[in-house]
Amino acid sequence: MPGAIDTPTAPTASRATSSYPSRSIFPQASTFTIDVFASQDFIVKDFVESLSDSAVPSNRRSGASNQSQAFDPRPLIRTFEHALSRLAELSRDLESRENELSGAVRRAETQHSSDVHSLGRKLDQTIDSFQNLDSSLNGQQNGDIEVEGNSAVRIGEKLEELDRQRFRAQDAKFLIQCWLEVSDRGELFLLEDVRRQGTGDGKVRCAHIARQLLKISQRLDPESWSQVNGNSTAIHGVDGVDDVDGNHVSRHNTRVVVEKFLETLEKDLLKQFDDFYRRANFDGMRDCANALHDFNGGASVIGLFVNQHQFFIDRSQLITEEVGGDQETWERLADPDAEPPGVEPSLQSLIDEVKIVVQEESAIIGRAFPYHEQVLGLFIQRVFQQSVQQRLEMVLDKANTVSSLAFLRSLQAARSYINNLVDDLKAHGLTEHPESLSAMTSLVLDQQFDDLFVPYFVGSSYIEREKRNLEELYSSLLFKFTTFHSRRRKHPTTFIASLAKSGSGLLSSARDAYIERLDSSDLAPAQKAMLLRVAGLKDADSAKKQTEIEVGEKDRVLSTMNAKRMLKWLAEAVGRGLELSGGSETPKDVSALLNLLLTNMGEIYIETALDAAIETAASQENTKNEPDVSYLLGLQSAITIMHLMLTCINTVLIPLAVSNITVRREMEKTTNIAMNRMEDKVNTIMQRTIDVALAWVSKLLAAQKKSDFRPRDDAIGGGASWLEMLQTPTCLSIFTFLSRLESLALTALAPSPNLRAFLTEVAIGVRSLLLEHFKKYQVSAAGGIMVTKDITKYIELLRSWDLDASFEPNLEVLTEIGNIFVIGPDALRERLRGKAGMMGGVWEKGDLRPYVLRRDDAGSVGVQAVLSAL
């Protein structure tokens, strides 16, 4: 029901006293209003319960005696009927009120709609009025009526033009008055009055009028401009002329008067600017700077601001101080194996101060100068050229007296630190802070940065420094190595050694260049000491006397550690070159460094060691004692260094030449030629080692006794001593030698295809020697046992090697040869019959005939039958 709320109260007889009716002994009709249902405490259950309670008399609601009385529903029926009728009345009242409210809402909506329609018409009228006004102002036609609406615009333009003409007329009047004053009396009191007013606009106007007076003087008083120092026919700037009546008229030198006024005005403005600067009056500085800009483009005020800056005054005293630093720092800078310490402290302090000063002054310049970019550019130029450049030159001069490496490292550190300064200034924005820096100022910073380092990168000067530094370091590191091998090559003992002696020229030239460099007067003492330390020498005199230089076995062989040091120095030079002079010249620079690396590490270091190994191998071919193949151990270092060098070339140097196809191809060609040459020498060493090994095995086989395979009857009858001998002495000697050779090869070549190929070649040669060896000896029945034992030992050795799989059938051939000497004729016939096309075609049955003939019983009927079958 409308108006009913959640929680009701019971009906009341008197609304002022209680929400529920007072109860009497007689039931009363319930009376309630709409407010009962509007209450927040209205509950339907309680409402019905109150109706029920009001219908039952109080005397019937309690007591035990009442429980036996019959229930009388009539009071409840009457109460609920009365309540229903009352509810119906309330419902009709609510419906009537609802109809009244609905009618009022409809009337309000109608009135609102009428008001909105009326306001819409007024808005349309306002828009039309505005459009008509706009059309009239723009001179457009509205229907058939032509409205000249641009009248107001034309009137405004005319007023502005008249105002400009008025100002021009006033300026012209004032200019004429000033000209008359200067030409008649030689004074400029009017301009002086304007100047003394002290306003920026007034001083700008003074300067502008003074320049116009100079132009007028040049046209109307040409005599003033034809005089030299103000003197012609007149004295002290005054000359006499006659007018039309012949009277003497006195005139003044207008040029001198105006120029003196301009000078006075400029000095006054400069003094005022300086006073404003000291008081931090940026508006006054801006007015003065704006006025002075009309004199000479602001050069005087810019010069005053820059030249008298406290930074340059303080730094002009400090710039003459010598570059300090502790000795340990400079030694670290010159040590190629030490990490560089960074930028020199005094230069670092200066750059840090420059960063702070430029950022602070840029804020002042931005507020004090209308043309702040020009001023800031000149200020930055002065800072870089006067302070930074001078200190940089002093630091690099000091570093150059220490060593060439110290110079290069100092140059790199300084350039990196100054480049960070430029980047920080750009990121700050300077006068545009916090916005990004203007393109003009950014260009000035880049130009000043480039100008600082141009002298050090002219032409090929930089890469020549890098090459000279690396050559000195490489020559020092390899000095004892080259000295050792130079002594070895002085007296060649073999033909191969005499051929290799032709390569000693490169060693000698490198060593002589190093000694000559040590004797050079321009070599700094610190650098000389560093080079001697790298070379492992005590003093320069010992380098001159090669016979006094102590060299040992470690100076003969290659050192992987030394190779890594060389590559580390090269990598540092390459990285430094990319940072300092990276650009179009990079391919040529890395090509020069490649040639330097191939010459020193390739030819002087690796190839010299390989040549020594070749000579040693050649000298072992005809030795009477067991050959010493320990030179194979040097191959491990040689191959490792070759791999390191090739990796460095392919990953560091050649990729940097990608921008120049011609240079890159030339670098690849040069690298391939050098690597092929070194690989050929490694192959030569391996081949000569194979020849040496087979020659010694052949010599040992030649020393085999005939009695080893045909023991005397008394030796056989001797019993156990002969049977206990597992192999012949020759077999044991060969086994020992080849085992030692395999161990050295494994150490030198490590498990690799090269090791497999080497051992396979040795195994093939040994197998061939053994096959020929057993053709030469007569074998008895008892000797066949020794042959079998020897062959078993040889096979055991070869099977322990890492050989190519194709060699396996050759081992079976050796086994079959051993069996030929120990089985009887019948068994031999059956075995050969089952071995038709034996060992996969490696051997035919006819190849076994020479071995069958070496049996003692070769003349027997059974063996002859076998021979006839072969």
Side-chain angles (χ1 to χ4, degrees):
M1 179 184 294
I5 305 179
D6 293 339
T7 308
T9 59
T12 61
S14 176
R15 293 171 56 189
T17 59
S18 176
S19 298
Y20 294 94
S22 61
R23 296 175 181 174
S24 63
I25 59 175
F26 300 104
Q28 298 177 355
S30 59
T31 58
F32 48 85
T33 64
I34 192 62
D35 296 333
V36 174
F37 303 97
S39 174
Q40 295 182 352
D41 298 329
F42 176 79
I43 299 176
V44 176
K45 180 179 179 182
D46 294 342
F47 175 72
V48 174
E49 185 177 340
S50 64
L51 293 178
S52 302
D53 291 343
S54 63
V56 179
S58 58
N59 56 354
R60 294 184 181 184
R61 271 186 261 151
S62 61
S65 59
N66 297 331
Q67 295 180 356
S68 60
Q69 295 179 4
F71 173 72
D72 186 7
R74 288 176 294 179
L76 292 175
I77 293 173
R78 287 193 295 272
T79 299
F80 286 131
E81 286 177 350
H82 183 270
L84 287 175
S85 62
R86 178 60 181 162
L87 290 174
E89 292 176 1
L90 292 177
S91 177
R92 287 192 294 273
D93 292 341
L94 288 176
E95 183 177 1
S96 174
R97 291 175 59 186
E98 181 182 3
N99 292 334
E100 292 177 359
L101 292 175
S102 298
V105 168
R106 285 194 296 273
R107 287 192 297 273
E109 288 178 349
T110 303
Q111 183 62 36
H112 174 71
S113 176
S114 176
D115 294 342
V116 169
H117 184 68
S118 176
L119 292 175
R121 286 198 307 272
K122 291 181 180 180
L123 178 61
D124 292 338
Q125 293 174 359
T126 303
I127 293 174
D128 293 339
S129 300
F130 175 79
Q131 290 178 348
N132 293 334
L133 177 61
D134 184 63
S135 300
S136 64
L137 292 176
N138 293 327
Q140 299 177 354
Q141 290 184 354
N142 185 8
D144 299 332
I145 302 173
E146 182 178 353
V147 181
E148 297 181 357
N150 56 354
S151 301
V153 177
R154 289 199 299 269
I155 291 173
E157 293 176 352
K158 289 180 179 180
L159 290 175
E160 291 177 358
E161 180 64 25
L162 290 174
D163 188 58
R164 287 193 295 269
Q165 291 178 2
R166 182 176 66 86
F167 278 115
R168 282 198 299 268
Q170 291 176 351
D171 291 340
K173 176 183 177 182
F174 186 75
L175 179 61
I176 294 172
Q177 291 174 346
C178 291
W179 170 249
L180 294 176
E181 187 179 35
V182 72
S183 62
D184 293 343
R185 296 180 302 191
E187 299 291 345
L188 284 172
F189 292 118
L190 293 176
L191 278 181
E192 286 290 346
D193 293 338
V194 177
R195 181 179 68 83
R196 291 192 185 98
Q197 293 176 1
T199 62
D201 293 339
K203 291 175 180 178
V204 172
R205 187 184 179 198
C206 284
H208 180 66
I209 292 176
R211 285 198 308 273
Q212 289 182 328
L213 289 175
L214 281 179
K215 294 179 181 179
I216 295 174
S217 174
Q218 189 174 8
R219 296 189 61 181
L220 301 183
D221 190 13
E223 293 84 357
S224 300
W225 293 81
S226 63
Q227 298 172 10
V228 180
N229 296 328
N231 297 319
S232 59
T233 58
I235 300 177
H236 303 298
V238 180
D239 65 309
V241 294
D242 294 333
D243 60 7
V244 293
D245 299 327
N247 299 321
H248 184 77
V249 179
S250 176
R251 298 183 57 208
H252 297 269
N253 191 321
T254 55
R255 176 188 178 186
V256 173
V257 175
V258 176
E259 288 180 347
K260 285 183 178 180
F261 174 80
L262 286 174
E263 292 176 3
T264 303
L265 178 62
E266 183 177 9
K267 292 178 181 179
D268 183 38
L269 288 171
L270 290 174
K271 182 178 181 302
Q272 192 173 7
F273 178 86
D274 188 56
D275 293 338
F276 287 146
Y277 177 66
R278 298 182 187 280
R279 297 198 301 266
N281 186 346
F282 301 115
D283 294 335
M285 292 172 63
R286 191 177 188 87
D287 293 337
C288 293
N290 194 24
L292 288 167
H293 186 267
D294 292 334
F295 283 89
N296 47 15
S300 58
V301 69
I302 296 174
L304 175 68
F305 178 80
V306 174
N307 297 332
Q308 296 186 7
H309 197 280
Q310 191 65 32
F311 172 79
F312 301 109
I313 297 175
D314 296 340
R315 278 292 168 179
S316 63
Q317 300 173 359
L318 299 177
I319 202 68
T320 57
E321 294 182 359
E322 294 185 358
V323 178
D326 58 297
Q327 187 63 27
E328 182 183 355
T329 301
W330 289 109
E331 290 177 356
R332 285 177 56 203
L333 200 61
D335 187 356
D337 297 317
E339 290 296 326
V343 68
E344 197 272 332
S346 63
L347 180 61
Q348 180 180 1
S349 174
L350 171 63
I351 294 173
D352 292 341
E353 185 177 355
V354 165
K355 176 181 176 181
I356 297 173
V357 169
V358 172
Q359 289 179 354
E360 292 178 349
E361 291 303 313
S362 63
I364 298 176
I365 292 172
R367 298 176 62 183
F369 291 92
Y371 38 94
H372 53 265
E373 286 192 351
Q374 179 184 356
V375 181
L376 181 61
L378 292 175
F379 183 77
I380 292 174
Q381 181 179 354
R382 177 74 180 276
V383 168
F384 274 82
Q385 293 180 0
Q386 178 172 322
S387 300
V388 178
Q389 183 174 357
Q390 292 182 14
R391 197 63 187 177
L392 175 64
E393 291 174 353
M394 294 177 65
V395 171
L396 294 180
D397 289 343
K398 170 67 176 179
N400 199 31
T401 61
V402 176
S403 72
S404 56
L405 179 60
F407 175 87
L408 292 170
R409 284 179 167 179
S410 298
L411 180 64
Q412 179 187 14
R415 192 176 191 275
S416 176
Y417 206 77
I418 296 175
N419 185 55
N420 291 337
L421 167 67
V422 172
D423 292 340
D424 291 341
L425 293 179
K426 289 182 179 179
H428 180 268
L430 300 181
T431 54
E432 310 299 330
H433 181 76
E435 302 296 330
S436 58
L437 191 65
S438 66
M440 177 180 175
T441 308
S442 179
L443 182 63
V444 171
L445 284 171
D446 292 337
Q447 184 63 43
Q448 294 304 312
F449 175 75
D450 293 338
D451 291 345
L452 284 177
F453 298 95
V454 164
Y456 308 107
F457 301 102
V458 176
S460 60
S461 59
Y462 169 74
I463 193 62
E464 291 299 325
R465 280 183 180 270
E466 289 284 6
K467 288 174 58 180
R468 184 167 63 250
N469 172 62
L470 288 175
E471 287 173 351
E472 292 172 354
L473 293 176
Y474 288 170
S475 299
S476 299
L477 186 62
L478 303 180
F479 181 74
K480 285 191 174 182
F481 177 85
T482 56
T483 300
F484 181 94
H485 287 279
S486 296
R487 293 177 182 176
R488 175 183 59 80
R489 289 183 172 181
K490 282 185 177 179
H491 306 288
T493 56
T494 64
F495 175 72
I496 297 299
S498 64
L499 293 179
K501 187 175 184 298
S502 60
S504 64
L506 185 60
L507 291 179
S508 300
S509 61
R511 187 183 61 257
D512 294 342
Y514 174 71
I515 296 175
E516 181 180 355
R517 179 61 178 162
L518 290 179
D519 292 336
S520 176
S521 59
D522 60 347
L523 187 64
Q527 184 173 2
K528 181 182 293 186
M530 183 271 298
L531 293 178
L532 291 174
R533 182 184 60 79
V534 173
L537 302 176
K538 297 180 180 179
D539 52 44
D541 294 334
S542 61
K544 301 176 186 177
K545 302 175 182 179
Q546 298 182 44
T547 56
E548 299 179 1
I549 300 176
E550 296 181 1
V551 292
E553 184 65 19
K554 66 177 183 178
D555 300 315
R556 177 186 68 84
V557 298
L558 297 175
S559 170
T560 306
M561 185 61 63
N562 285 345
K564 290 181 178 179
R565 290 175 69 187
M566 297 172 72
L567 293 177
K568 177 185 175 183
W569 298 340
L570 177 73
E572 180 183 343
V574 172
R576 186 166 47 240
L578 289 177
E579 182 178 345
L580 296 179
S581 64
S584 60
E585 297 299 320
T586 298
K588 295 181 181 179
D589 292 346
V590 296
S591 177
L593 295 179
L594 171 65
N595 294 330
L596 180 66
L597 179 66
L598 292 177
T599 299
N600 288 272
M601 182 178 285
E603 296 183 37
I604 296 179
Y605 200 42
I606 299 176
E607 291 190 35
T608 298
L610 294 178
D611 290 338
I614 292 174
E615 294 177 17
T616 304
S619 65
Q620 299 296 316
E621 290 184 1
N622 299 318
T623 183
K624 295 181 180 180
N625 300 319
E626 181 178 327
D628 181 12
V629 292
S630 60
Y631 58 84
L632 282 177
L633 296 176
L635 286 181
Q636 180 184 17
S637 299
I639 294 174
T640 300
I641 295 173
M642 288 169 58
H643 176 72
L644 290 174
M645 183 176 68
L646 183 61
T647 302
C648 176
I649 292 173
N650 289 333
T651 59
V652 177
L653 297 179
I654 291 181
L656 296 177
V658 68
S659 59
N660 192 321
I661 300 299
T662 303
V663 174
R664 175 169 181 163
R665 289 177 178 173
E666 186 63 28
M667 291 174 64
E668 292 174 344
K669 179 181 177 182
T670 304
T671 302
N672 291 335
I673 292 174
M675 295 304 299
N676 290 337
R677 187 170 61 247
M678 287 183 277
E679 290 174 355
D680 290 343
K681 291 186 178 183
V682 172
N683 293 335
T684 301
I685 294 172
M686 303 304 298
Q687 187 59 50
R688 290 194 178 280
T689 303
I690 294 172
D691 296 341
V692 168
L694 295 180
W696 183 247
V697 171
S698 178
K699 184 176 290 188
L700 292 177
L701 290 174
Q704 181 94 51
K705 294 180 180 180
K706 294 182 178 181
S707 61
D708 290 342
F709 302 137
R710 294 187 67 187
R712 295 190 306 271
D713 293 338
D714 57 350
I716 299 174
S721 61
W722 182 82
L723 290 174
E724 290 175 356
M725 186 172 62
L726 297 179
Q727 290 87 24
T728 63
T730 299
C731 177
L732 292 177
S733 299
I734 294 175
F735 182 87
T736 302
F737 171 72
L738 291 179
S739 297
R740 186 180 302 113
L741 175 65
E742 189 265 345
S743 177
L744 290 173
L746 180 62
T747 303
L749 300 177
S752 62
N754 290 333
L755 175 64
R756 184 179 298 110
F758 172 76
L759 294 178
T760 301
E761 289 294 326
V762 174
I764 291 174
V766 171
R767 173 252 189 195
S768 299
L769 291 175
L770 291 176
L771 293 178
E772 292 298 322
H773 176 69
F774 290 116
K775 290 179 182 180
K776 300 175 182 178
Y777 290 87
Q778 198 73 23
V779 182
S780 64
I785 298 176
M786 296 306 298
V787 171
T788 303
K789 290 183 178 181
D790 283 359
I791 290 178
T792 302
K793 192 66 174 178
Y794 293 137
I795 293 175
E796 176 188 347
L797 173 65
L798 296 179
R799 285 190 186 278
S800 66
W801 290 3
D802 180 18
L803 301 177
D804 192 271
S806 61
F807 186 76
E808 183 66 25
N810 293 283
L811 298 178
E812 297 182 10
V813 171
L814 289 176
T815 302
E816 291 302 324
I817 290 175
N819 294 331
I820 288 175
F821 295 107
V822 295
I823 60 179
D826 295 336
L828 178 62
R829 183 184 308 108
E830 294 298 327
R831 190 172 187 85
L832 293 178
R833 183 181 297 117
K835 293 291 183 179
M838 60 186 305
M839 278 70 76
V842 176
W843 266 38
E844 297 296 334
K845 288 192 298 182
D847 296 331
L848 299 178
R849 181 181 179 85
Y851 302 99
V852 177
L853 289 174
R854 304 313 297 175
R855 288 170 58 116
D856 273 354
D857 58 350
S860 64
V861 175
V863 175
Q864 286 295 321
V866 173
L867 291 174
S868 62
L870 294 176

